[in-house]
Amino acid sequence: MICKDRILLDDWHVVADLDRLPKGGTEKTTLFEQPITVTRTNTDVIACSATAGPLLCQIKYGFVWICLGTPVRDILHIPEAFEKDRYVVSGGSFGVRVSGLRVVENFLDMGHFPFVHAGWLGEEPHTEVRPYEVEVTSDDEILATECYFHQPVASPTAKGGIDVKYTYRVYRSYIVALYKTNPLVDDRTDYIVLFIQPVGPEECVVHSMLCYMKQEMTPTNLRWFMQLIFAQDKPILENQIPRRLPLDPRAETPIRADKAAIVYRRWLREHNVSYGATTA
């Protein structure tokens, strides 16, 4: 194994989106630089294998998950995926030439909204990231709360600019989610989660799942909006230098808006995650 991080090898990772794998089809992919073959039979049985032989695999949320080692915990449970008043759809899978850890950090960063997503998730002069709270929970997850940002088009159902409330949640090293204000439903939030597949230390596939309230929404508009936003993020991510995420506190100068990223980097160091990172 090229990856030496047991916390990663003994966990579950998404390697395929069933929406893109027809019955009778085979998809070749890579996880931690290991070639993986995913096969879907005509009777809808999924089998996964590597060079050394068959792999443990499961289907959940419409994605294929595999573990290269010995699983020490289950695939995470997402209650929003089982709520009947939501559309639960794949937002697409995107190859990105950067460490998956960089993708997580970018997802946590509200400061880029007015500049990368101008006219959609942000606009000038609303550029300030207001103070927010970050903690590591008793479940060993990172939770960022009280995050507010003005957005001209917060979702496909938005009918004008609003102050959007975000909650961010890092479940595992390569899995991150957000909850955000639904423009039409006051007491519910929309939900986006990224299942990031580390292809190599400087390359990944970002699989997205969207759990949005159904009011005035269609799955087609939902996927279109996600793909529009990620298309804006991709060139920024691929121009990151270095492509791996620096974990040395002295490597990059943080500012107040980077509070969640600072906690994420410290959390990775404490869990001895080195794959996709630089440590010196």
Side-chain angles (χ1 to χ4, degrees), residues 74 107 113 133 181 239 251:
D74 294 334
F107 193 74
F113 287 168
E133 300 300 321
T181 302
N239 280 287

Side-chain angles (χ1 to χ4, degrees), residues 14-269:
V14 170
V15 293
D17 181 342
L18 286 184
D19 282 351
R20 300 175 58 187
L21 183 61
K23 291 184 179 181
T26 296
E27 181 174 318
K28 294 188 180 298
T29 187
T30 304
L31 180 67
F32 298 121
E33 299 161 82
Q34 307 301 307
I36 305 294
T37 300
V38 182
T39 302
R40 184 178 188 179
T41 70
N42 288 322
T43 56
D44 225 14
V45 175
I46 301 294
C48 301
S49 61
T51 305
L55 295 169
L56 294 173
C57 66
Q58 295 188 50
I59 306 301
K60 196 163 189 176
Y61 312 123
F63 296 91
V64 180
W65 300 70
I66 69 168
C67 178
L68 294 178
T70 302
V72 296
R73 52 185 171 178
D74 294 334
I75 296 170
L76 66 95
H77 176 65
I78 299 173
E80 289 79 8
F82 301 95
E83 295 175 352
K84 301 301 184 183
D85 55 355
R86 294 181 184 272
Y87 286 120
V88 180
V89 300
S90 165
S93 299
F94 313 94
V96 190
R97 294 187 303 275
V98 76
S99 165
L101 305 179
R102 283 284 198 190
V103 176
V104 173
E105 188 170 84
N106 179 76
F107 193 74
L108 297 171
D109 174 30
M110 293 180 289
H112 78 285
F113 287 168
F115 309 105
V116 178
H117 307 297
W120 297 95
L121 303 185
E123 61 183 353
E124 296 186 78
H126 306 285
T127 60
E128 180 185 8
V129 176
R130 306 176 207 174
Y132 59 93
E133 300 300 321
V134 185
E135 65 173 324
V136 178
T137 71
S138 59
D139 293 326
D140 199 26
E141 299 172 352
I142 298 171
L143 192 67
T145 57
E146 302 302 317
C147 308
Y148 291 90
F149 211 89
H150 179 81
Q151 296 188 332
V153 185
S155 84
T157 60
K159 295 177 171 60
I162 59 172
D163 279 352
V164 176
K165 181 178 181 180
Y166 278 82
T167 297
Y168 290 95
R169 189 173 182 180
V170 181
Y171 296 97
R172 300 180 187 180
S173 304
Y174 285 90
I175 302 178
V176 60
L178 64 78
Y179 308 80
K180 66 181 294 187
T181 302
N182 181 289
L184 303 179
V185 185
D186 292 337
D187 60 343
R188 304 288 295 281
T189 58
D190 294 321
Y191 176 88
I192 301 171
V193 60
L194 304 185
F195 307 123
I196 301 168
Q197 174 187 344
V199 171
E202 298 183 359
E203 186 177 0
C204 65
V205 177
V206 181
H207 305 277
S208 59
M209 184 176 76
L210 316 173
C211 303
Y212 270 60
M213 306 305 297
K214 292 182 178 179
Q215 281 83 347
E216 299 186 23
M217 181 71 74
T218 68
T220 299
N221 284 345
L222 187 48
R223 291 188 186 96
W224 170 83
F225 190 78
M226 179 65 190
Q227 291 170 12
L228 167 74
I229 297 301
F230 199 85
Q232 296 170 338
D233 276 318
K234 181 174 176 176
I236 304 302
L237 285 165
E238 293 188 331
N239 280 287
Q240 294 273 6
I241 299 175
R243 293 188 186 276
R244 305 186 192 197
L245 183 68
L247 297 187
D248 187 329
R250 301 163 296 178
E252 295 178 345
T253 304
I255 59 175
R256 187 186 69 187
D258 296 331
K259 190 174 181 179
I262 294 168
V263 173
Y264 177 57
R265 292 186 187 200
R266 183 172 65 238
W267 184 81
L268 291 171
R269 291 196 302 271

